[in-house]
Amino acid sequence: MGSDDRRFFRLLIIEDDHERERVLKSWLTPDVKTVVAGSAGRAIGILERDRGSVYAGILLDHDLQGRMATTTDRYLDGKDIVNVIVKNISKNVPILEHSMNVTQAPVMAHRLEKDGFYVTRIPMANLTKERLQEWIGEARALWEDEQ
C-alpha cells in the first residue's frame, strides 16, 4: 500500500470465521475500507508489509485455525500477531480485540497495552453493531488527528 492509501479509513480484520467476518463487515458504514486476514500467517504477512499507520484500526481475534493457509498456521495464533503488531504498527492505531478466548485474550491485551497501544476488549458474543460503531468513532477521531 502506498502513501496515498492513508486518506482511506481502513480497518484490518483478523478473523478466521466466515460468519463473524460477515457480521463485522455488515456493521460497517460504506466509507470504511477493509482488509481481511483469515489466518495468523496471512495477518503476519500483511502487518509486515503494511508497516506504520496504514490502518485506522485493527480488529483482532486469537484462535485463527479455521482458515489455515499453510501448515505453519496450525502453530500460530493471536499472540504471534501481537508480536508483529508491536514491531511494525504505529502505537496510534487502536485495536479492538474481539476474541472469545478467556485465557489468552487478556494476555494479548496486556502485552499490547504494555507496549503503548490503545486496546478495547469486547468478546464477539458481547459485540454489537452499536459497540463496534462507538469504537470506530474513537478510531476515526485518532485517525483524523494523524491526517
Side-chain angles (χ1 to χ4, degrees):
M1 292 189 188
S3 60
D4 288 343
D5 293 322
R6 293 212 10 96
R7 70 177 177 260
F8 296 112
F9 186 83
R10 179 175 283 116
L11 299 177
L12 175 60
I13 300 174
I14 303 171
E15 175 56 64
D16 66 323
D17 183 277
H18 286 289
E19 180 58 19
R20 284 184 180 182
E21 176 189 338
R22 185 195 66 73
V23 167
L24 290 168
K25 285 178 156 182
S26 75
W27 291 344
L28 301 175
T29 55
D31 65 314
V32 177
K33 307 296 183 208
T34 61
V35 173
V36 177
S39 72
R42 287 194 173 146
I44 289 169
I46 289 168
L47 291 163
E48 288 176 343
R49 178 192 72 201
D50 298 340
R51 297 172 180 261
S53 55
V54 169
Y55 299 102
I58 298 173
L59 284 76
L60 177 60
D61 191 15
H62 178 273
D63 302 317
L64 295 159
Q65 284 73 34
R67 279 196 265 181
M68 292 186 289
T70 68
T71 54
T72 306
D73 276 328
R74 179 181 321 266
Y75 308 104
L76 298 172
D77 58 33
K79 290 187 304 298
D80 298 296
I81 295 168
V82 165
N83 292 333
V84 177
I85 288 172
V86 167
K87 287 184 207 169
N88 294 298
I89 301 302
S90 167
K91 310 274 187 279
N92 297 327
V93 176
I95 298 169
L96 173 61
E97 187 183 300
H98 64 276
S99 176
M100 296 287 292
N101 188 314
V102 296
T103 57
Q104 296 306 313
V107 172
M108 291 191 320
H110 176 74
R111 168 74 196 284
L112 288 163
E113 289 168 343
K114 184 181 77 141
D115 281 287
F117 286 88
Y118 172 71
V119 179
T120 302
R121 282 190 53 223
I122 307 174
M124 191 68 191
N126 300 330
L127 190 60
T128 62
K129 180 177 182 176
E130 293 74 26
R131 291 181 88 179
L132 179 61
Q133 289 296 327
E134 181 181 325
W135 178 81
I136 288 173
E138 294 168 5
R140 191 178 299 276
L142 291 168
W143 177 74
E144 288 172 352
D145 285 347
E146 291 292 309
Q147 299 304 300

